[in-house]
Amino acid sequence: MNVVFQFDDNDMDEVSGFELGDIIITRGGKQCTSLNREPNQSMMLFITISNLLNQIKKMIKSRKREIIVVGVDSSYTLKITSKKNHYIISDDKCMIKEIEQNELLDSVYQAAKYIWDKYGKRIVSDSVQYDFCNALKSYKKLLDENCQ
């Protein structure tokens, strides 16, 4: 049973770089998400994805035990905690346990790559596009190093 990261993008027509979206993490019937919350917890999707990629990379490289990812322009927070050889993903309503490192790395990469392939070349803000592209490339290197 794999963990699945998704980003809800609401099919954007014009892509400013500051478009809002949501994060959804599911596994075995559990779901940690910013969707359908009061007040609305949608976040600046591209910037949040870049931050998520960079923070996970830093966590793995420096062997940090925990990171907290805050959705940009949102108060939604996602916590990723390292416990021995596994990870726990949680928010204020959900906890998903026993995620293996490669499973976490690959799932996040696949979700981020999907958004990049769909919108990356159309992001109007050069700095947001640049940051997202570089975060994805750097994260892919980490993924390749850890999957060998």
Side-chain angles (χ1 to χ4, degrees):
M1 193 174 337
N2 290 338
V3 66
V4 177
F5 269 77
Q6 294 174 276
F7 301 105
D8 181 37
D9 55 356
N10 300 317
D11 287 323
M12 302 169 213
D13 292 326
E14 294 184 26
V15 187
S16 72
F18 307 106
E19 302 298 332
L20 298 179
D22 290 281
I23 189 168
I24 307 148
I25 305 103
T26 56
R27 184 182 202 206
K30 292 185 179 182
Q31 185 177 72
C32 298
T33 184
S34 61
L35 270 172
N36 304 320
R37 288 181 177 238
E38 292 292 329
N40 186 328
Q41 294 299 307
S42 294
M43 59 200 74
M44 291 183 186
L45 192 60
F46 306 123
I47 300 170
T48 300
I49 293 171
S50 296
N51 288 343
L52 175 67
L53 294 170
N54 289 330
Q55 285 190 50
I56 291 174
K57 180 183 171 202
K58 186 175 182 179
M59 178 183 202
I60 301 296
K61 291 275 191 184
S62 67
R63 294 190 168 100
K64 284 181 74 173
R65 293 187 44 102
E66 182 177 278
I67 58 171
I68 296 175
V69 180
V70 179
V72 177
D73 199 33
S74 171
S75 58
Y76 179 77
T77 58
L78 184 69
K79 183 164 59 169
I80 303 175
T81 307
S82 172
K83 295 282 185 181
K84 296 185 182 178
N85 294 330
H86 292 89
Y87 292 84
I88 298 168
I89 297 172
S90 60
D91 64 17
D92 62 330
K93 297 181 179 181
C94 166
M95 182 180 290
I96 301 173
K97 298 180 180 181
E98 300 297 315
I99 303 165
E100 292 186 26
Q101 181 171 297
N102 288 345
E103 180 184 3
L104 172 68
L105 293 175
D106 186 58
S107 180
V108 171
Y109 177 76
Q110 294 304 323
K113 179 90 168 72
Y114 171 81
I115 294 297
W116 174 260
D117 289 345
K118 191 170 180 181
Y119 299 110
K121 302 277 194 239
R122 298 187 303 146
I123 298 173
V124 175
S125 171
D126 290 341
S127 60
V128 172
Q129 184 185 53
Y130 178 84
D131 289 346
F132 189 2
C133 181
N134 283 332
L136 193 60
K137 285 179 184 176
S138 180
Y139 190 89
K140 175 72 166 103
K141 287 180 188 173
L142 174 71
L143 179 64
D144 291 345
E145 289 169 6
N146 281 278
C147 289
Q148 294 178 4

